[in-house]
Amino acid sequence: MSTDSLRTDASSTEAASLDDRHHATDLRERFALPDGVVYLDGNSLGALPRAVPAAVRDAVEQQWGRDLITSWNTHGWWDAPARVGDALGRIVGAAPGQVVVGDSTSVRLHQVLHAAAGLRPERTVVLADPDTFPTDLYVLDGVARQLGWTVEHVAPDEAVDRLRGTDDVVAVVYSHVDYRTGVLWDLPAVTRAAHDAGALAIWDLCHSAGAVAVDLDAHGVDLAVGCGYKYLNGGPGAPAFIYVATEHQAAFSNVIPGWHGHAQPFAMSGEYAPADGIDRARIGTPPMLSLLALEAALTAFDGVEIQDVRARSLSLTGFLRRCIDALVPGTTYASPDDEGRGSQVAVRHPDAYGVVQALIARGVIGDFRTPDIVRLGVAAPYLTHADMLAAATELAAVLEADEHLDPAYSRRSAVT
């Protein structure tokens, strides 16, 4: 028996043991996953929860098809943005009445940034990670031009030092998890440092909501945004969410005032008066089918604490790294090897795009991020330790046979 076979047999035994240990958080039966696929791209688009098709069918055929416009009342369409917000809030550690769902992350970023300007009108500097997801930078630069702010590019792990003794910073605007490397930034420490400096803490939770314990209320986060289609599994283009801490809601100014955020929306007044509470962050009519799909998707987390999902995630990603190290010695990682990672393992390789395409051909779906990252997203609720071993085994096979060098895998699709 070869050394590789011995290593694989040992890993198989460990995988079975770990899957047994984490059996209580194995939610795979709540998801519809194709046979023969190890899906490691839930950090881009979550898998389909089994509850969603029936919910969407009912929304289309019964609510829209038969009950028509009466569904705004009889099926609670009007209240859905806040109702789904409360369900999502449980996952990100927000008490009811602080999260509302609808629109896109880009729109939500515009809202929280302009709201921050109103909350800290005397300040003009905002700190941002230069390596964050590009949309965050685009939106921030646009808002800064509008407001006369200065954007300082400061990595999250340097923010505490930059904030010490300062009185010019409006807010820090950071992603909780780096979308490429999977680094989990220290949200509690950065938030404390921002508050000590009189600044606001704004967090983008796109790569952490549903994967790690965020604990917005416990850590005193001021404002946050995130999408619904990654680890929350709400489907392609699922609506985004906005979190406004209760203490800021009375002073929250909505830069995009729409009739759904009006105190008396059906009075049809020509003058805007903001609603009380989190409803003032609403804008216009939400995409109801997507919103109801997200509501159904969130039921996949019923009966499970996010801390336990996180424990499963750390076990899965740690085991994936050990398997890769055993089967592909010398692998270089962009993601940390400890609890400082989110829920992904990022492998560096000069031909990363080809590696990803070759893996997909073998039934292991990850994705590529420029310039050299093979991004393996681990959505803990529907993945197993056996899946991690399978992924590492296929990665080793791809590299051993140089499959990633096939010219067919060098032609890049529009979506990489």
Side-chain angles (χ1 to χ4, degrees), residues 217-234:
D217 288 351
H219 298 307
V221 170
D222 300 290
L223 302 159
V225 301
C227 66
Y229 50 81
K230 293 183 171 62
Y231 293 110
L232 296 173
N233 311 298

Side-chain angles (χ1 to χ4, degrees), residues 80-97 99 101 232 294-299 301-302:
R83 184 179 70 242
V84 180
D86 285 345
L88 200 157
R90 182 184 74 84
I91 296 171
V92 295
V99 178
V101 178
L232 296 173
L294 175 59
E295 182 173 31
L298 295 177
T299 65
F301 290 92
D302 284 356

Side-chain angles (χ1 to χ4, degrees), residues 118-134:
L119 293 168
R120 296 291 185 273
E122 73 285 357
R123 297 180 174 221
T124 58
V125 176
V126 62
L127 306 187
D129 182 357
D131 294 321
T132 196
F133 192 75

Side-chain angles (χ1 to χ4, degrees), residues 342-376:
S343 200
Q344 69 186 57
V345 173
V347 171
R348 291 195 183 277
H349 193 281
D351 298 304
Y353 184 79
V355 171
V356 169
Q357 300 310 305
L359 281 172
I360 291 172
R362 284 177 165 268
V364 177
I365 302 177
D367 68 7
F368 162 78
R369 285 296 176 264
T370 185
D372 62 352
I373 290 180
V374 177
R375 197 172 65 156
L376 306 174

Side-chain angles (χ1 to χ4, degrees), residues 23-334:
H23 176 72
T25 50
D26 184 352
L27 308 181
R28 193 183 190 93
E29 288 304 312
R30 299 184 183 185
F31 293 85
L33 288 159
D35 293 334
V37 169
V38 177
Y39 189 60
L40 299 180
D41 210 5
N43 52 340
S44 281
L45 175 65
L48 173 65
R50 292 189 185 277
V52 170
V56 172
R57 189 177 306 114
D58 181 73
V60 172
E61 296 178 356
Q62 178 64 43
Q63 298 178 35
W64 177 18
R66 296 178 183 234
D67 297 335
L68 297 165
I69 201 166
T70 66
S71 291
W72 285 102
N73 291 315
T74 59
H75 292 290
W77 286 3
W78 183 266
D79 300 322
R83 184 179 70 242
V84 180
D86 285 345
L88 200 157
R90 182 184 74 84
I91 296 171
V92 295
Q98 298 178 101
V99 178
V100 72
V101 178
D103 301 285
S104 68
T105 307
S106 300
V107 170
R108 294 309 193 185
L109 276 169
H110 274 282
Q111 286 182 284
V112 296
L113 291 170
H114 278 277
L119 293 168
R120 296 291 185 273
E122 73 285 357
R123 297 180 174 221
T124 58
V125 176
V126 62
L127 306 187
D129 182 357
D131 294 321
T132 196
F133 192 75
T135 284
D136 292 39
L137 295 176
Y138 305 157
V139 172
L140 179 54
D141 287 345
V143 171
R145 287 193 298 271
Q146 293 167 358
L147 299 176
W149 282 353
T150 297
V151 178
E152 255 186 57
H153 289 157
V154 178
D157 57 351
E158 298 173 352
V160 173
D161 288 340
R162 168 61 181 85
L163 288 162
R164 191 172 290 114
T166 190
D167 62 0
D168 59 348
V169 176
V170 179
V172 298
V173 185
Y174 289 130
S175 291
H176 192 189
V177 173
D178 186 290
Y179 78 103
R180 286 178 301 182
T181 66
V183 172
L184 174 69
W185 298 115
D186 193 342
L187 180 150
V190 174
T191 298
R192 283 195 304 271
H195 291 168
D196 289 345
L200 299 167
I202 300 174
W203 290 92
D204 180 336
L205 309 179
C206 285
H207 285 270
S208 57
V212 305
V214 181
D215 295 327
L216 291 173
D217 288 351
H219 298 307
V221 170
D222 300 290
L223 302 159
V225 301
C227 66
Y229 50 81
K230 293 183 171 62
Y231 293 110
L232 296 173
N233 311 298
F241 64 92
I242 183 172
Y243 164 87
V244 182
T246 301
E247 65 179 291
H248 297 306
Q249 289 178 7
F252 179 89
S253 178
N254 191 343
V255 69
I256 314 174
W259 74 293
H260 278 234
H262 196 284
Q264 295 181 302
F266 291 94
M268 301 299 176
S269 171
E271 295 184 1
Y272 182 76
D276 292 331
I278 192 61
D279 281 344
R280 67 177 50 204
R282 293 176 64 167
I283 302 173
T285 306
M288 285 308 305
L289 298 182
S290 293
L291 184 54
L292 295 174
L294 175 59
E295 182 173 31
L298 295 177
T299 65
F301 290 92
D302 284 356
V304 179
E305 297 298 325
I306 194 63
Q307 292 83 356
D308 295 328
V309 173
R310 172 60 171 163
R312 181 182 181 88
S313 164
L314 284 171
S315 181
L316 288 166
T317 52
F319 182 63
L320 176 57
R321 282 187 61 123
R322 294 197 300 277
C323 290
I324 293 174
D325 287 340
L327 297 172
V328 191
T331 295
T332 301
Y333 300 93

